[in-house]
Amino acid sequence: MTATGELAAIDFVPAPKAGPRAIRLGLVGGAVAVFVSVNGMVEAFSGRLLLGSLALGEALLLSVPLLIGYLAGRPEPVLEGFTARRPGWRNVLAGLVAGLASGVTLALFVVLVASFDIRGVFLNATPELVRDGPRILTFGLELGAGLGLLLGLYVALGGAGGVLQVLPGRFRRAVLTALGWVAGLALMQPAVAQVLRGIQQELRIWTAPLTDFLYDASGALSVPGIATIAAAAFCLQLLASRQHRKPVRTRLEQLPDRSRRILRVAILAAVLLLLGLLPQVIGPFLSEVLNIAGIFLLMALGLNIVVGFAGLLDLGYVAFFAVGAYTTALLTSPQSSVGVGWVFWLAVPFVILAAAVSGLMVGTPVLRMRGDYLAIVTLGFGEIARLLFISDWLKPWFGGAQGIIQVGDISLGPVQIRTPEAFFYVLFVFVLLAAYATYALQDSRIGRAWMAMREDEAVAEAMGVNIVTAKLSAFIVGAVLAGFGGALFATKIGSVFPHSFNVIVSITVLVVIIVGGMASVPGVVLGTLVLVGLPELLREFEEYRFLIYGALLIFMMLKRPEGFIPSGRRAEELHEQEVAQDEWLVAGAPETGATDADRDEPN
Amino acid sequence: MARTNLVPPGPVVGKRAFQLPIVDGFLWLVRIAAIALILVGATRSIASARLSGQQWRDLVVFGIAQGSVYALVALGYTMVYGVLRFINFAHGEVFMIGAMTGYFVTDGLARTALWEAAPFLSLFIALICCMTVSALVALLLERVAYRPLRGAPRLIPFITAIGASFFLQYTMASLFGTSVKSYPEVEVLTGSFTLLGFRVLRVHLLVIVAALVIMAGLYLYVEKTKAGKAMRAVSEDQETAKLMGINVDRTIARVFGVGGAMAGAAGLLFGLVFQNVFFLSGFLPGIKAFTAAVLGGIGNIPGAAVGGLTLGMVESMGPSLVLVGLGIPAAHQLKDVVAFVTLVLVLIFRPTGILGERVSEDRG
Amino acid sequence: MGTRRYQFVACLVGALALVGAACAPEEQKAAEFTPGPLGAVTVEPGAPIKIGLIQAISGDTASLGQDQVRAVEIAIEDKGGNLLEQHPIRTQVEDDLCKAEGGTTAGQKLAADPQIVAVVGSSCSGAAVPAMEILSGKGIVMISGSNTSPRLTSDLRGKQGDAYKLGYLRTAHNDIIQGLAAANFAFQKLGAKRAATIHDGDPYTEGLANAFGSSFKELGGTISLATAISKGDTDMRPVLTEVAASKPDVVFFPIFQPEADFIVKQAKGFPLLADTKKLFGADGLLSDTFIVIGQTEGMYFSGPATPTGATYQELVAKYEKKFGEKPIQAFHAHAYDAVNMIFAAIEKSAVKESNGTVHIDRQKLIDAMHATKDYQGLTGTLTCDKFGDCADAKIDVVQNTPTEKTIDQVRGNVLFTFDPPETG
């Protein structure tokens, strides 16, 4: 580290100050490690075996120095036009230093917990962490030995993180892929085991023994399992990133037209076949998870039209979901105040009608409002809807807090849809319709009007877009899709309670479309699966679910603001700025931290 | 007053949406119906003599006290919005952390002799702690979650704000437990006295006075100091402000810090009035305070005060005055309905809020 | 073709050898045992008997479920960990989040496992409605230690609740009984003629407030005001102004913390409500963090009678030893009884083969549960009616006076015990 100054002078690179940076990162890492220890995560997850005999809690604790070492070892950003320094011992050293800093921080915390009882304030700083029982932080050892081991592990793992940076890019990516696969498969054990068993039962492919090979009886990945997965992922990634290999897309483009068409049909058929078999293979519980995600997907596709296409920020979207659910419940439950007990399909036109009317009712007063005024007013409408459904005042109609039960099942001819597997198909049809509608609207006259309005209302109007029609139609289309979601929700659960319709639903749907990639249907699909489906599967995080969710949201938005799969146009918009910044960097301006606020998108 | 607008005047947004007479007619119908319902409800309520004059006056005081807390939290929203055009959704959590800090400090102090001997000094110490901690959290939030996203489309920092909100809530829950924390009794603040026929609880008086002092201080800060001038300049035009030698980053951080300190103070006052705090205490007041900010005209500091007071009054008076008069059972369950309907009505009448200037959204 | 047949055979062999019980075809044993209309669970020799738990273990109602999960664990330990001599008892806990959608997910997850014999749960009535439907469809018996809504079973006058499904039972009392008990206490013991009720929009509190209201009116009293607040409200003074204006003799608010904290603290400022003996809460408030509030001194609470007797004290002692704190809610004993009723019914209805294989017929298990009569549990003598209400529903009304320092002492300060008359 002492040599960096001289080197910098020779290479004309601004002094990288790698040492302070590594220490700073190390301290941040130490703070994270202390945080997960003191808030009880390490202890809560110490019962869940993840890799062999390594529990999730310890894995969490040990992943910190690895990550910090990796980050600390990252080469300094270099301005364009300058030569980057070759990776070498400096990266490893930075990793080691960062690991040491983290380890020292955590060790100080261990000493603190060992000498004082801080449980009066920090509820989860239990004696099990250091003093009694399993002594998680000192690995079951006495304080001195435990601290030594802790520090040693942190330094070693920090160094290992740094070593990753020395590897050539291809190998580094392969190692990271291997780590990712091992972690993913270890965490997803119940789902993976179920799928493998399901494949065996449905398709008669011999997959179930694989489960026993990969996983121990306790649900942790077995040692041979880890080795196999890591090796497979490493090799596959290495193969896939061979340099002379052409990207799949270019290869496809080189195919003759006829073969391409055949290929496309074949892929479509295969996808449909897979989806048809899916619920049978994954069993009722995973189907149920998919159904939950599917209902959110319907809503997300609807909100995508309102927010993504038309640029109207709606935070009260749950109101339309509730209207759909309650309309279905009122019309199909023999117990409701209407008490007609119709079949589901008869109720559907009324769901559309009720949702459309409520869309109009919300849309009209907010015609003149924009941006954040709209956000809070729609949020208000969402709350108004929930409170009216819960209220004693309207109890004779909506059942108040007791809700409406015995909502009718969907029937297809003589077949009653009861199981989650069967429900999946119905839901799938609705989602396909919604996705089709989204694509159709996107390229239609009204779709172009929406997007023009999103970019600039005044200009759009000057160009002849009827703002009133455009806004109201966006609200109505969005409301109807959410209404479908509500209708399916009601019939799936079989009962409707007002507590299901709180503001968190609206927020989740909004988060899904933005994290997935606004105005992009594949993005919304992926966003729903990741943000709604995964939390259902990762139930072991229980009370820490929202904590992790919140942290991941921030991280995701900082790293990939355009979402998982952005729509082409939007990605361009977001990268415009980067391009501009690069140009500016090349120009060699000395100052950093420029902001370009004018590129704000009006929505 | 209008000079304090952090939002500069811009082109008119309203009017041009009115192309269809049907829409126009519908909105007029809504206005007339709303006024008619309010009048009918209020007349019947007052005529029924269900509540005595004293009780109505009590309701007014309750409304002002609740409104003062809303106003203090709303300031943070309004200041950040005025400068960055962005809803700091996590601001309610900054408020909750202030209230939580207040609990730990007052609880600790209540075990010392100082609590009995010098109650106001103890409360002042608590106030400083709450404001400091909340301001630090707000600064950290700005640095980690918002600054890297400056210049990104507005929805993106909004999502990080939602993430930060969850993160802060459950951080508090996991560190300090999910149980309800009970503030210690403050001897000097119990009891009430009568002022001009209004019976005022002492703690309410403290809240109202503290809110007035803090808001006056903030007003002077924004209007008279150099830092305040910088804030207004950045709110007008970041680029030009930068050319004028203003450190935009530092100014924006300062806005967050000051807003956070206000929320911390509000947190302590909330704790003193309601004597309870837990990890979800910030969510609803946060939403309400944002409503108050919009009601008063977002980006406008006196607007936050007016909006907060209006909202507090509407919540306190509305159910008893209008809903009960209209014969609606369990009217107080619909308190928030009254609050949000008021918001919608006010914005139908005045699309930019009570004190709001015409808000320009064409820049940001 | 050959390879395919080989694959098929290998699959079967593999499944039998490696997956064991999970994939083993049941037809093999069909010769000796004929399952009833709802099917049966076959447990291989030495294989575990699986009990599902649907409980709220996260969120603001976590203590309700946590308490019962712990009680079930203790019950299993008390049983020696094994059932029918050599079958270990295994539990699978699913979180119902105290919501209908949580009940659906939890129900589906348990219903997907054909080895689940019975389910203890749910914590909340709202979650019970869909969970009951799913589990009943699979013939899985479900018994709850804390559901109290009348619509899950019956109105105790012979009218079946609209959510009732075959296979559902509970050891918790029916809300109607608690409403009746509280109303009786208020009207007869306190001599109240006018009562106000406050609920918070939760199905439990709303149901109980209404049950109280109708019983109080039947007794000849007047409900001066039936009002409600919303969860998350903090400023209760406006609603208390209305309550005070209606001049009640007693205010019944069977709600939870923290809203109830605000009510009692702010009621002090109202001359008409300053007397804490006018405040009447329910079991949701019988917690240490609530009774330490100064303004709860003198307040009354209704709730299921705390079990007495040596066996219960033993349970509490084990609970404290194992989990480091006293029972955190009122329904652990109910859950303990519920799971023991399941064990008894399994022992009664199971068919054993000589090699140790056990068949549990689902219909027979349900019948055995319903046939429970004069079962000596911790919560009293349990007898199940045909809609699944099994509780020996004694309701206590207790008072918090300055001498009571802990929640146990408050629970012990019984002023009134309501033992409902036998109803059809």
Side-chain angles (χ1 to χ4, degrees):
Chain A
M1 278 173 299
T2 46
T4 48
E6 297 163 37
L7 284 173
I10 297 163
D11 295 353
F12 298 103
V13 178
K17 299 191 196 98
R21 191 178 73 136
I23 291 178
R24 206 168 58 227
L25 269 169
L27 291 179
V28 170
V32 172
V34 170
F35 179 67
V36 294
S37 309
V38 78
N39 78 4
M41 280 171 88
V42 170
E43 199 196 340
F45 303 149
S46 63
R48 159 76 157 93
L49 292 181
L50 194 68
L51 307 169
S53 53
L54 183 72
L56 177 56
E58 281 132 32
L60 186 67
L61 209 56
L62 295 180
S63 65
V64 171
L66 196 63
L67 187 68
I68 290 299
Y70 180 76
L71 290 179
R74 203 158 48 175
E76 287 287 317
V78 178
L79 289 183
E80 199 150 323
F82 293 99
T83 43
R85 197 199 298 269
R86 285 172 61 85
W89 57 273
R90 262 180 228 92
N91 306 66
V92 183
L93 187 65
L96 287 172
V97 170
L100 182 69
S102 298
V104 169
T105 317
L106 186 60
L108 287 176
F109 170 74
V110 171
V111 173
L112 176 78
V113 177
S115 21
F116 298 103
D117 185 13
I118 56 168
R119 221 184 157 180
V121 177
F122 296 102
L123 208 73
N124 282 316
T126 56
E128 278 79 27
L129 283 177
V130 178
R131 263 173 295 176
D132 322 332
R135 302 187 198 194
I136 303 160
L137 290 185
T138 51
F139 306 97
L141 302 173
E142 284 305 313
L143 192 61
L147 281 181
L149 182 59
L150 184 73
L151 278 176
L153 275 173
Y154 261 63
V155 173
L157 285 167
V163 168
L164 283 180
Q165 296 289 3
V166 182
L167 295 176
R170 267 176 74 206
F171 285 93
R172 186 170 69 235
R173 268 190 294 280
V175 171
L176 292 181
T177 315
L179 280 175
W181 274 97
V182 169
L185 284 172
L187 281 175
M188 301 290 290
Q189 181 265 335
V192 176
Q194 164 63 44
V195 168
L196 290 178
R197 210 174 299 135
I199 291 176
Q200 168 152 3
Q201 273 167 9
E202 292 302 317
L203 306 178
R204 313 247 169 211
I205 302 171
W206 194 27
T207 50
L210 192 61
T211 322
D212 297 295
F213 171 70
L214 290 180
Y215 297 106
D216 291 340
S218 59
L221 269 186
S222 63
V223 178
I226 297 172
T228 317
I229 294 167
F234 183 82
C235 297
L236 281 176
Q237 173 67 27
L238 217 51
L239 282 177
S241 61
R242 270 174 307 168
Q243 272 161 2
H244 52 86
R245 206 183 128 120
K246 281 180 214 149
V248 179
R249 189 172 294 169
T250 31
R251 282 202 202 177
L252 279 183
E253 272 163 14
Q254 285 166 354
L255 286 177
D257 252 8
R258 205 178 125 78
S259 335
R260 249 159 76 189
R261 212 171 303 132
I262 293 173
L263 195 69
R264 200 175 293 158
V265 171
I267 289 175
L268 195 70
V271 165
L272 281 180
L273 185 73
L274 270 182
L275 279 171
L277 282 173
L278 190 67
Q280 306 304 325
V281 167
I282 63 180
F285 173 65
L286 290 179
S287 301
E288 176 71 18
V289 171
L290 273 189
N291 290 343
I292 296 170
I295 285 174
F296 270 91
L297 179 54
L298 261 181
M299 279 199 281
L301 286 171
L303 191 64
N304 186 37
I305 288 174
V306 182
V307 181
F309 289 179
L312 303 163
L313 179 52
D314 186 346
L315 287 185
Y317 200 56
V318 68
F320 308 125
F321 182 57
V323 165
Y326 267 95
T327 311
T328 315
L330 281 174
L331 294 176
T332 64
S333 164
Q335 298 291 331
S336 72
S337 53
V338 179
V340 286
W342 287 350
V343 295
F344 178 80
W345 301 112
L346 258 180
V348 169
F350 290 89
V351 169
I352 297 176
L353 191 71
V357 168
S358 58
L360 267 180
M361 274 168 57
V362 172
T364 317
V366 301
L367 275 177
R368 288 205 293 170
M369 301 167 199
R370 284 217 283 170
D372 308 305
Y373 284 76
L374 185 63
I376 190 69
V377 169
T378 47
L379 188 144
F381 273 115
E383 282 294 282
I384 290 174
R386 181 180 65 89
L387 288 165
L388 288 181
F389 284 127
I390 212 173
S391 69
D392 285 7
W393 176 38
L394 299 178
K395 193 180 176 190
W397 291 278
F398 300 126
Q402 306 295 340
I404 302 173
I405 65 170
Q406 292 189 359
V407 180
D409 285 325
I410 299 177
S411 52
L412 288 175
V415 187
Q416 293 269 318
I417 304 288
R418 281 176 189 280
T419 62
E421 292 97 316
F423 191 82
F424 174 85
Y425 297 115
V426 178
L427 188 58
F428 188 66
V429 171
F430 273 92
V431 169
L432 272 188
L433 279 177
Y436 172 75
T438 306
Y439 277 122
L441 283 170
Q442 193 170 12
D443 298 330
S444 72
R445 191 183 161 78
I446 188 76
R448 286 196 300 273
W450 285 336
M451 281 174 252
M453 184 171 78
R454 177 185 73 191
E455 297 308 319
D456 193 317
E457 210 173 299
V459 172
E461 194 172 29
M463 301 303 286
V465 172
N466 184 338
I467 296 290
V468 172
T469 326
K471 278 193 177 178
L472 290 182
S473 57
F475 268 111
I476 290 173
V477 174
V480 168
L481 287 182
F484 281 144
L488 290 168
F489 177 79
T491 171
K492 179 173 87 72
I493 307 273
S495 47
V496 176
F497 291 95
H499 314 90
S500 308
F501 306 107
N502 58 27
V503 64
I504 299 292
V505 177
S506 305
I507 289 179
T508 309
V509 178
L510 182 69
V511 165
V512 157
I513 62 170
I514 291 171
V515 172
M518 209 160 67
S520 135
V521 173
V524 170
V525 173
L526 187 64
T528 322
L529 289 178
V530 171
L531 290 175
V532 181
L534 266 191
E536 291 290 338
L537 292 182
L538 299 174
R539 283 255 177 149
E540 49 219 329
F541 291 115
E542 285 167 18
E543 63 231 74
Y544 299 100
R545 222 162 32 177
F546 278 111
L547 189 74
I548 299 167
Y549 189 77
L552 284 183
L553 271 189
I554 300 176
F555 180 76
M556 175 73 200
M557 285 294 102
L558 293 181
K559 288 293 155 208
R560 206 178 156 82
E562 70 270 31
F564 293 139
I565 309 176
S567 76
R569 222 191 96 57
R570 227 179 120 73
E572 272 166 34
E573 271 168 27
L574 276 158
H575 286 289
E576 237 167 69
Q577 193 181 341
E578 275 172 29
V579 172
Q581 254 176 9
D582 284 349
E583 282 166 4
W584 172 84
L585 276 173
V586 172
E591 197 191 340
T592 52
T595 56
D596 198 352
D598 281 334
R599 237 165 277 275
D600 201 339
E601 186 181 312
N603 48 23
Chain B
M1 289 291 267
R3 280 253 304 125
T4 6
N5 239 349
L6 286 170
V7 175
V12 185
V13 175
K15 299 277 186 225
R16 80 178 118 77
F18 284 74
Q19 294 150 323
L20 286 181
I22 300 174
V23 172
D24 216 359
F26 175 76
L27 288 184
W28 273 108
L29 209 69
V30 171
R31 289 172 195 179
I32 293 166
I35 293 175
L37 281 177
I38 292 170
L39 285 179
V40 169
T43 341
R44 283 172 54 181
S45 242
I46 295 170
S48 74
R50 183 172 37 87
L51 299 180
S52 64
Q54 180 63 54
Q55 281 165 329
W56 286 118
R57 285 196 291 278
D58 284 350
L59 287 180
V60 173
V61 178
F62 301 155
I64 294 175
Q66 176 77 53
S68 306
V69 177
Y70 286 157
L72 279 180
V73 186
L75 286 176
Y77 280 107
T78 250
M79 289 178 70
V80 168
Y81 187 87
V83 174
L84 289 178
R85 304 288 180 280
F86 138 71
I87 311 171
N88 181 8
F89 201 79
H91 191 64
E93 268 49 66
V94 176
F95 159 80
M96 177 267 294
I97 289 173
M100 219 42 134
T101 313
Y103 160 75
F104 284 111
V105 175
T106 52
D107 192 57
L109 285 174
R111 288 177 205 164
T112 64
L114 190 68
W115 188 253
E116 294 289 324
F120 282 108
L121 178 65
S122 319
L123 286 181
F124 187 71
I125 295 173
L127 182 71
I128 298 297
C129 294
C130 291
M131 289 175 83
T132 314
V133 171
S134 286
L136 286 179
V137 171
L139 284 174
L140 190 73
L141 205 60
E142 194 269 336
R143 183 68 194 81
V144 174
Y146 305 147
R147 191 180 296 177
L149 289 172
R150 206 163 303 146
R154 205 176 304 156
L155 269 178
I156 291 176
F158 182 66
I159 298 294
T160 55
I162 290 173
S165 177
F166 282 134
F167 183 78
L168 291 176
Q169 276 172 13
Y170 284 85
T171 296
M172 296 312 266
S174 61
L175 289 181
F176 307 114
T178 51
S179 65
V180 178
K181 316 252 178 290
S182 207
Y183 267 59
E185 287 275 344
V186 190
E187 208 60 53
V188 284
L189 293 182
T190 50
S192 61
F193 60 91
T194 313
L195 186 82
L196 304 172
F198 286 88
R199 206 177 40 150
V200 184
L201 296 174
R202 283 185 182 178
V203 66
H204 281 168
L205 182 76
L206 174 81
V207 169
I208 296 166
V209 170
L212 281 177
V213 170
I214 291 171
M215 278 192 278
L218 183 70
Y219 183 83
L220 291 177
Y221 178 73
V222 173
E223 283 296 305
K224 304 289 177 200
T225 64
K226 216 171 165 184
K229 233 174 242 167
M231 282 178 197
R232 282 183 289 141
V234 172
S235 136
E236 289 283 340
D237 190 329
Q238 282 189 14
E239 290 301 302
T240 315
K242 196 185 290 165
L243 292 177
M244 293 297 166
I246 293 171
N247 186 336
V248 173
D249 275 346
R250 189 181 298 159
T251 305
I252 289 176
R254 203 171 273 153
V255 167
F256 272 87
V258 172
M262 299 293 126
L268 179 70
L269 294 175
F270 174 90
L272 290 174
V273 178
F274 299 118
Q275 298 192 333
N276 256 355
V277 60
F278 78 124
F279 75 105
L280 290 176
S281 289
F283 187 69
L284 209 57
I287 287 181
K288 287 296 179 56
F290 181 54
T291 311
V294 173
L295 199 58
I298 195 157
N300 179 320
I301 290 173
V306 171
L309 287 180
T310 313
L311 193 69
M313 290 293 276
V314 162
E315 284 190 357
S316 148
M317 304 283 289
S320 288
L321 189 63
V322 179
L323 296 188
V324 178
L326 292 173
I328 291 172
H332 287 272
Q333 198 177 21
L334 300 174
K335 189 182 76 180
D336 293 354
V337 173
V338 177
F340 287 119
V341 168
T342 309
L343 174 76
V344 174
L345 287 178
V346 166
L347 291 185
I348 288 179
F349 280 104
R350 281 188 65 88
T352 53
I354 300 172
L355 288 188
E357 292 285 292
R358 297 156 297 186
V359 172
S360 150
E361 300 228 351
D362 297 334
R363 57 160 299 280
Chain C
M1 287 312 274
T3 49
R4 179 173 284 182
R5 189 170 301 146
Y6 166 74
Q7 264 184 1
F8 177 65
V9 172
C11 156
L12 270 186
V13 171
L16 286 174
L18 291 161
V19 190
C23 273
E26 282 170 25
E27 305 90 71
Q28 282 189 341
K29 309 286 191 293
E32 296 128 51
F33 175 80
T34 338
L38 297 178
V41 183
T42 300
V43 188
E44 298 290 315
I49 291 181
K50 288 175 89 174
I51 308 282
L53 270 74
I54 298 182
Q55 300 288 351
I57 51 173
S58 67
D60 51 358
T61 42
S63 61
L64 189 61
Q66 209 64 267
D67 194 40
Q68 297 184 63
V69 173
R70 290 170 173 185
V72 170
E73 282 177 35
I74 297 174
I76 292 171
E77 276 177 22
D78 286 356
K79 198 79 194 161
N82 285 322
L83 203 59
L84 302 169
E85 284 145 37
Q86 41 133 320
H87 295 276
I89 306 164
R90 289 270 175 281
T91 56
Q92 183 176 348
V93 185
E94 293 300 329
D95 193 353
D96 69 10
L97 308 163
C98 206
K99 280 187 183 166
E101 52 268 38
T104 310
T105 320
Q108 291 292 7
K109 185 146 191 199
L110 293 178
D113 185 346
Q115 290 301 109
I116 294 282
V117 178
V119 169
V120 181
S122 61
S123 299
C124 303
S125 298
V129 175
M132 188 195 294
E133 195 172 332
I134 293 161
L135 295 174
S136 180
K138 295 267 178 183
I140 300 174
V141 76
M142 169 176 174
I143 180 163
S144 165
S146 60
N147 294 160
T148 57
S149 168
R151 63 199 319 198
L152 299 179
T153 53
S154 74
D155 65 352
L156 298 178
R157 287 170 189 164
K159 184 169 172 285
Q160 178 183 318
D162 49 12
Y164 175 75
K165 289 276 184 303
L166 178 75
Y168 177 79
L169 303 102
R170 67 177 168 205
T171 54
H173 61 270
N174 192 314
D175 271 346
I176 289 175
I177 296 178
Q178 183 166 178
L180 198 59
N184 264 301
F185 174 77
F187 190 79
Q188 285 163 353
K189 294 278 166 175
L190 295 181
K193 296 287 169 278
R194 295 169 63 80
T197 60
I198 307 174
H199 70 80
D200 66 1
D202 182 275
Y204 172 70
T205 67
E206 198 252 13
L208 189 49
N210 281 344
F212 172 88
S214 49
S215 301
F216 196 76
K217 275 188 271 188
E218 271 175 34
L219 289 167
T222 315
I223 294 298
S224 64
L225 182 69
T227 192
I229 52 155
S230 298
K231 287 207 168 168
D233 282 0
T234 50
D235 193 3
M236 303 295 174
R237 289 185 175 101
V239 69
L240 288 174
T241 305
E242 288 282 347
V243 169
S246 76
K247 299 185 181 64
D249 299 322
V250 64
V251 184
F252 186 60
F253 54 105
I255 61 174
F256 301 102
Q257 284 183 291
E259 287 82 9
D261 301 24
F262 297 127
I263 287 189
V264 295
K265 284 178 175 169
Q266 294 168 21
K268 210 169 104 182
F270 293 84
L272 261 163
L273 303 173
D275 180 6
T276 51
K277 290 199 178 101
K278 286 188 174 177
L279 303 182
F280 194 174
D283 43 307
L285 294 176
L286 278 173
S287 78
D288 271 318
T289 49
F290 188 70
I291 59 149
V292 291
I293 299 171
Q295 289 90 335
T296 61
E297 240 162 51
M299 232 185 110
Y300 303 103
F301 302 86
S302 68
T306 311
T308 46
T311 34
Y312 178 68
Q313 293 312 323
E314 260 174 52
L315 171 71
V316 173
K318 280 178 207 151
Y319 192 113
E320 262 194 273
K321 186 156 174 279
K322 197 167 157 72
F323 303 107
E325 54 185 337
K326 285 196 183 319
I328 48 179
Q329 270 280 353
F331 291 106
H332 49 279
H334 297 82
Y336 185 89
D337 281 353
V339 74
N340 273 306
M341 278 170 64
I342 292 175
F343 296 156
I346 290 175
E347 280 166 349
K348 206 161 95 182
S349 60
V351 178
K352 278 184 85 167
E353 280 181 40
S354 51
N355 66 355
T357 304
V358 167
H359 303 280
I360 303 166
D361 186 279
R362 295 199 182 277
Q363 180 67 52
K364 291 218 176 78
L365 184 65
I366 293 174
D367 293 343
M369 293 289 283
H370 275 282
T372 305
K373 199 169 175 340
D374 297 331
Y375 176 87
Q376 294 300 321
L378 297 178
T379 57
T381 310
L382 307 179
T383 301
C384 296
D385 72 8
K386 66 173 173 174
F387 301 114
D389 262 319
C390 303
D392 180 5
K394 285 203 196 76
I395 300 293
D396 278 350
V397 177
V398 299
Q399 189 181 18
N400 182 21
T401 63
T403 48
E404 274 77 41
K405 295 280 178 260
T406 67
I407 189 66
D408 291 328
Q409 288 167 344
V410 175
R411 284 218 174 100
N413 184 25
V414 180
L415 302 186
F416 176 78
T417 297
F418 182 76
D419 209 351
E422 285 302 315
T423 45

